[in-house]
Amino acid sequence: MSTTDPHKELDADAKRLAEMGYSQDLNRNWSSFSNFAISFSIISILAGCFTNFGAGWNNGGPVSISWSWPIISAFILLIGFTMSELVSAYPTSGGIYWWAAKLGGPRAGFYTGWLNLIGLVAVTAGVAYGCATFIDLTLSMWSESYADGYSLTRVFVIFVAVLAIASVLNIFSGHLMAVMNNVSVWWHVAGAAIIVAILLIVPDTHQSFSYVFTERINNSGYSDGSTSSFVFFFAVIPFGFLLTQYTITGYDACAHLSEETKGASMGAAKGIWQSILYSAIGGYILLLAVVFAVPNLADGSPDNSLGAGGVAPIFAAALGSNWAGTVLFISSAGQLFCAVSCMTSASRMTYAFSRDGAVPGSKHWSMLSANRVPARAVMLVAVMAALVTLPALVEVNIGTPEAPIYSPIAFFAVTSIAVLGLYLSFAIPIWLRYRHGDNFEAGAWNNGSKYKWMNPLAVAEIIIVSLFLMMPTYKPGNPFDDSFEWKFVNYSPIVTLGALLAITIWWQASAKNWFKGPIRTIDPAEVP
């Protein structure tokens, strides 16, 4: 047990915050475990692993899940290590953009901040919509009459309700969020263990190791469905990287909540890489359990058509409606925890970026409520999340009229926007830290000389995966194909590149004249 005086830790945190130019306005009542818990909750293996399962299944199949997950996870852990070093040196809300501004100047901070904010709004939208989908699936599994009334409008209404619940809980109390995240960790651990046990015990049959690690599927429409072509291995399977890259994201929450964390220089740093590592291990076990549980057809061959519609058809066929409903309920509750945590992180970033005058109406969004939480920033995030998800009301069938396969193209696009915004915002300070070399003033937790190979490798992974996620993942979404239709379009590059163009125009026309980076609100001599 630590013998450190918590009051001295608080004083040290306030002093370090004052050195970076800010007074302790937010309540610093989060423990290191709570800081870890929010990132673990946002990563949420009960959310990303299930809601984006179809992205991996349709773009590679079992091999895309059994092989891509551990490989991409290792690279993401590397990215986490580079960010842990940065948050240890600069533990402040909105940390990602603060790091960039500190290391590369106002322009780097401006671009980083907006990319990070776009990513956080999109990940909040994606998680809330995924949660709404799973709530609807759970109720449909338990009630045939409810299932018969399915509509995209009904799912969207549930989505708005999830956003409202997440907003109300965030506005109520910052300390409540810390408690909820602590509970969320154990829900995810216990829930994932229960689901794995159900998938191992209940199904009558299980697939072989050979199936799980060698079976290939191509439902993208590219290469005429080939699973042995160059296109399959170097385009289709990389499209499936979205499953891993989206699931293991949002861990920058440890930085955004560092102003509310005691002993943040160590606690927030450990929170980042530990949340990635434990989620990668737990998520891999969970995904393998799902793939092993894929049932067979009457002729004894695996029913590969089930995974095209996500995990729900696999659960229903392998477990029956009652057990499937139970699994979906556990996942839905975990996703609700995740949505609440995403709202916390996004609102803190909005508050911090507004505090420095970068967001239109900054004075409004940087105001704190009587409970000392950025309530107005919470409401702004909720409204923007709802707007960016409106295309989810358009029905998209990637199959045929006789054998429809409904794909949530808009959901995959929103999750791609989240990955692109967040990871591109991570890449900027990671690269700038590399450029600073040994002149970088490291914090209590650092990578030593290993930054020399870790940081360039982390940036390279982000750029490569980002390029794949901006490509049309289905053939009819390719504007150069005869089957092109707008409803199939992966609109993530339109939003992301459009936002970058808007940011560039805004910077050149106006922002460079008034945005000077983080604004000091306290003199270092005013340390409490």
Side-chain angles (χ1 to χ4, degrees), residues 52 55-56 59 63-64 67-69 71-72 76 233-248 419 461 464-466 468-469:
N52 254 301
N59 296 292
V63 297
S64 182
W67 289 102
S68 296
W69 179 276
I71 293 171
I72 300 300
I76 295 174
F233 286 103
F234 293 95
V236 176
I237 285 182
F239 291 158
F241 290 170
L242 176 63
L243 169 61
T244 313
Q245 203 86 17
Y246 168 68
T247 300
I248 310 180
V419 172
E461 194 274 351
I464 292 171
V465 172
S466 295
F468 279 114
L469 296 189

Side-chain angles (χ1 to χ4, degrees), residues 373-396:
V373 295
R376 296 183 179 184
V378 169
M379 291 184 283
L380 176 63
V381 170
V383 171
M384 295 307 297
L387 291 176
V388 79
T389 319
L390 282 174
L393 289 167
V394 179
E395 187 176 90
V396 180

Side-chain angles (χ1 to χ4, degrees), residues 182-362:
N182 292 350
V183 174
S184 175
V185 169
W186 300 114
W187 182 273
H188 278 80
V189 171
I194 292 170
I195 291 174
V196 169
I198 291 173
L199 291 171
L200 290 176
I201 297 170
V202 176
D204 295 327
T205 60
H206 289 89
Q207 297 301 327
S208 64
F209 276 87
S210 175
Y211 172 84
V212 173
F213 289 94
T214 64
E215 183 76 4
R216 293 173 288 191
I217 296 171
N218 180 4
N219 289 334
S220 68
Y222 288 107
S223 196
D224 296 322
S226 170
T227 58
S228 58
S229 64
F230 177 87
V231 172
F232 175 76
F233 286 103
F234 293 95
V236 176
I237 285 182
F239 291 158
F241 290 170
L242 176 63
L243 169 61
T244 313
Q245 203 86 17
Y246 168 68
T247 300
I248 310 180
T249 194
Y251 45 83
D252 55 322
C254 291
H256 297 309
L257 274 296
S258 58
E259 277 188 39
E260 297 166 68
T261 303
K262 301 172 185 177
S265 289
M266 286 298 291
K270 290 181 179 179
I272 289 178
W273 71 263
Q274 287 178 350
S275 62
I276 295 171
L277 177 62
Y278 299 147
S279 296
I281 295 171
Y284 192 47
I285 294 171
L286 190 61
L287 285 169
L288 289 181
V290 175
V291 180
F292 272 113
V294 172
N296 291 327
L297 293 166
D299 62 4
S301 62
D303 189 352
N304 287 341
S305 65
L306 293 173
V311 292
I314 295 177
F315 292 157
L319 305 174
S321 59
N322 288 332
W323 281 112
T326 300
V327 170
L328 291 172
F329 169 76
I330 293 172
S331 176
S332 299
Q335 291 178 49
L336 182 59
F337 278 119
C338 180
V340 174
S341 298
C342 287
M343 183 66 75
T344 306
S345 181
S347 63
R348 295 315 190 269
M349 171 54 194
T350 305
Y351 159 77
F353 209 30
S354 298
R355 180 174 60 184
D356 292 328
V359 181
S362 288

